[in-house]
Structure formats: C-alpha cells, structure tokens
C-alpha cells in the first residue's frame, strides 16, 4: 500500500472533500461508512472516501484504488499506486486556482453567498465514459439513487480490485457494459434508462462514437456531439462537458438553475435551451460559469436562498 498527504495550504482557495464529491457532480466515489449523500449540508467531513480508476484512465492500464480523506490542514491518501497525488489532482482539480476563479466570477449576491457557504468545493474531472453513463442514469432521480445505480453497475460488471484486504470495483468498461442486456440492467433498477445505457455502451465499445472526442470541439459543437448518445439531451451533455471534459463554461440547466433564473435572473430566460444557456453563461461570467453554476446548484439544493 502507498500512502501520503497533500497540504491544503498549497491548494489556492482551499479544498473540501465532502462538498466536492457529494454535491451531485460525481457518482463514482463512495464512503467507507456508507454515509454518501446522507448529510444535508455536506461540507467539512473527515470521512474516508474511495474510488476505483478504470484501466483506461491509468498509466498502467490496470484499475487503481484510491482512498482519501480531509484532516484539518491536509489531504490524507492511501492507494494501490504511488501516482495517487497526480490522479487526485486530475480527478479533483486540485491544480485549479480556486481563489482566482472566484475572483473572476461576477459580483452577484447569490454567488457570493454560495461561495462563502461552500468555500473549498472544486469541480471534478471524472473519466468520460463513467461520467456519461452516470448522468444518463440521473434523469428524474435523487442523488442517492443515482449513486446506488452506479455502484451496482460497478459491482455487477466492473473489474474487482483487491486492496488492503478489501475488494473494490471499477466502473465497467464500454465492452463490459455493452455485454449486458436491457433486462439485466433493469434488474439493477435502471428502469427506462436501461436501454439508453446499453445502447450508449455499445456505441462506445464499437467505436461508433466516444464522449472523449467532444473535448476537441468548440463548446456548443461539443454539446451537440454528445447528444447523439441515446438518452442524452442538452442538460446531460452539459454535465459531461463540465464534470469530465474541461468545459468550465458549461452551465447545465437543471431544476435548481432554472429556479435561480426564475427568481434571480429572469432576463436570462430564453426561448430555448441554447438561448437560455448563452444568457446564463454570460450572467455568470462566461469563462468559469460552470464553477458558478455548481456552487449555486449546491447552495440552493441544500436550502440556501
């Protein structure tokens, strides 16, 4: 086992582990105490979290386990690989200058309250295929149920990795998931999302399309590219762009952001998704609008006003 620490003082803007992985950006992490998404406020926990990097995301072409927790002034990690700090930096965007990002965002009272409440929350950078599937599963679902679906998919179809006496499961590869039938996936409580997940996995496995290819396109073209996957509309596409593919300007127009537009920024209510998207991105400062969106989403979802 490899282990070490990362100083929070070296991360501009700080870092909060719980808010970052329990804010609805990612469903690929779990907690050792089974308390994922149980805390309404979801900030400041020192619980152990873990994830399994798929083989396609690692330099060794093998899945790797990483466990991590936040303790006061440092991030403590344990892993099956000595490269864990680099992977954590990539997954949790620890190299983002959060202070500079927040300073770059416009001075809006709602944003200021959200930034103050959840200071240290960073965006995630999930592997593209698991991110795509997890947000296909997110339609009309509470965060804890989405998380449960993703964990069951990993346990049923992903590769098991033994680490420190326990077995962890990587999210399934496109080939592994494409081999599942619609009935199999319905048995895992995916419901009407089952054929969407199966067909999307098949598209990636056969080379028909790959979510990672969107990274090389301009923002709106990238969003359009992702909508070719079954079960992916503009909002899910924006989630994948923001939480996996480095489009920090993306603003997924979910229920909470629509509420923010209605109550705080009515002039941003456009004639269609693309029009509203352009207006709210401009309202949130364009360049880091996705960061602003994520803070507002989490702040409103947890009772902020």
């Amino acid at each position: 086992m490899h282990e070490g620490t990362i100083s929070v003082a070296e991360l501009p803007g700080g870092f909060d582990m719980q808010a970052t992985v329990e804010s609805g950006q990612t469903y690929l992490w779990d907690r050792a105490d089974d308390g994922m998404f149980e805390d309404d406020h979801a900030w400041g926990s020192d619980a152990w979290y873990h994830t399994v990097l798929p083989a396609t995301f690692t330099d060794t072409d093998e899945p790797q386990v990483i466990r991590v927790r936040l303790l006061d002034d440092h991030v403590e990690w344990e892993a099956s690989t000595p490269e864990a700090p680099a992977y954590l930096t990539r997954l949790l965007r620890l190299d983002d200058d959060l202070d500079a990002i927040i300073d770059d965002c416009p001075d809006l009272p709602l944003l200021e309250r959200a930034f103050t409440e959840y200071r240290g929350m960073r965006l995630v950078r999930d592997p593209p295929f698991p991110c795509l599937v997890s947000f296909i599963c997110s339609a009309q679902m509470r965060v804890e149920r989405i998380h449960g679906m993703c964990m069951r998919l990993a346990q049923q179809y992903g590769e098991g990795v033994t680490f420190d006496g326990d077995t962890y499961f990587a999210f399934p590869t496109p080939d592994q998931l494409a081999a599942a039938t619609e009935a199999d996936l319905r048995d895992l409580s995916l419901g009407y999302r089952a054929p969407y997940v199966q067909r999307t996995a098949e598209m990636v496995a056969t080379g028909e399309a790959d979510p990672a290819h969107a990274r090389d396109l301009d923002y709106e073209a990238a969003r359009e590219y992702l909508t070719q996957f079954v079960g992916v509309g503009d909002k899910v596409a924006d989630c994948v762009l923001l939480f996996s593919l480095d489009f920090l300007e993306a603003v997924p127009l979910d229920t909470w952001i629509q509420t923010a537009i209605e109550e705080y920024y009515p002039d941003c209510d456009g004639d269609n998704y693309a029009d509203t998207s352009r207006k709210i991105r401009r309202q949130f400062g364009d360049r880091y609008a996705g960061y602003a969106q994520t803070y507002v989403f989490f702040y409103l979802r947890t009772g902020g006003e």
Side-chain angles (χ1 to χ4, degrees):
M1 181 172 69
H2 305 275
E3 55 189 352
T5 62
I6 300 170
S7 172
V8 173
E10 297 176 1
L11 308 177
F15 174 62
D16 187 79
M17 183 70 193
Q18 184 179 15
T20 299
V21 300
E22 291 195 50
S23 53
Q25 308 179 57
T26 177
Y27 302 97
L28 306 178
W29 291 80
D30 205 1
R31 282 175 60 151
D33 62 3
D34 295 323
M36 200 75 178
F37 296 111
E38 290 183 357
D39 184 352
D40 289 339
H41 186 59
W43 188 90
S45 174
D46 61 359
W48 279 102
Y49 292 86
H50 58 264
T51 193
V52 184
L53 302 180
T56 53
F57 199 75
T58 71
D59 296 333
T60 60
D61 295 325
E62 296 179 353
Q64 301 289 350
V65 177
I66 298 180
R67 297 194 300 224
V68 61
R69 66 173 172 174
L70 181 66
L71 282 180
D72 299 323
D73 60 352
H74 66 275
V75 178
E76 182 177 351
W77 61 267
E78 302 173 345
S80 59
T81 169
E83 302 303 318
Y87 289 133
L88 287 171
T89 297
R90 185 177 174 188
L91 289 168
L92 304 175
R93 304 191 70 98
L94 299 182
D95 52 349
D96 281 357
D97 187 334
L98 194 53
D99 285 333
I101 288 170
I102 290 174
D103 287 345
D104 191 81
C105 290
D107 294 329
L108 300 172
L110 177 61
L111 283 187
E112 291 176 0
R113 293 195 295 274
F115 287 144
T116 298
E117 186 75 11
Y118 286 109
R119 192 66 177 227
M121 179 174 72
R122 291 168 180 267
L123 293 185
V124 299
R125 189 188 281 119
D126 278 343
F129 178 70
C131 182
L132 175 64
V133 172
S134 66
F135 279 100
I136 290 174
C137 291
S138 73
Q140 300 180 8
M141 276 288 170
R142 299 189 305 273
V143 289
E144 60 270 21
R145 293 195 64 189
I146 304 165
H147 178 255
M149 288 180 186
C150 292
M151 293 299 103
R152 289 192 294 274
L153 286 172
Q155 291 164 10
Q156 185 69 28
Y157 298 107
E159 183 176 350
V161 183
T162 300
F163 173 66
D164 194 28
D166 294 316
T167 300
Y168 300 84
F169 294 90
F171 196 85
T173 65
D175 286 339
Q176 290 169 332
L177 202 49
T181 67
E182 179 181 335
D184 292 335
L185 297 176
R186 286 185 181 275
D187 285 343
L188 297 181
S189 301
L190 267 66
Y192 69 86
R193 304 157 196 81
Y196 303 162
V197 169
Q198 197 282 330
R199 175 60 182 135
T200 289
E202 183 179 62
M203 291 174 71
V204 181
T206 61
E208 182 178 343
D210 186 335
H213 291 169
R215 183 180 278 117
D216 299 325
L217 303 174
D218 291 337
Y219 166 59
E220 292 198 5
R223 186 173 64 198
E224 179 65 24
Y225 176 87
L226 290 178
T227 60
Q228 70 182 293
F229 293 103
V230 182
V232 176
D234 289 329
K235 193 267 283 189
V236 167
D238 268 335
C239 289
V240 178
L241 294 176
L242 180 59
F243 303 132
S244 178
L245 299 177
D246 298 311
F247 287 85
L248 299 187
E249 70 270 41
V251 177
L253 299 181
D254 53 47
T255 300
W256 294 106
I257 297 304
Q258 294 285 9
T259 296
I261 291 171
E262 180 180 335
E263 296 185 4
Y264 297 95
Y265 314 114
D267 290 344
C268 294
D269 189 4
D271 295 331
N272 51 51
Y273 188 101
D275 186 31
T276 301
S277 173
R278 294 186 194 107
K279 290 178 178 179
I280 193 62
R281 293 201 312 271
R282 191 176 306 118
Q283 180 74 59
F284 283 166
D286 283 321
R287 184 180 180 187
Y288 297 117
Y291 252 106
Q293 180 271 348
T294 304
Y295 270 85
V296 168
F297 163 85
F298 196 38
Y299 177 70
L300 293 179
R301 187 171 71 80
T302 54
E305 297 179 348

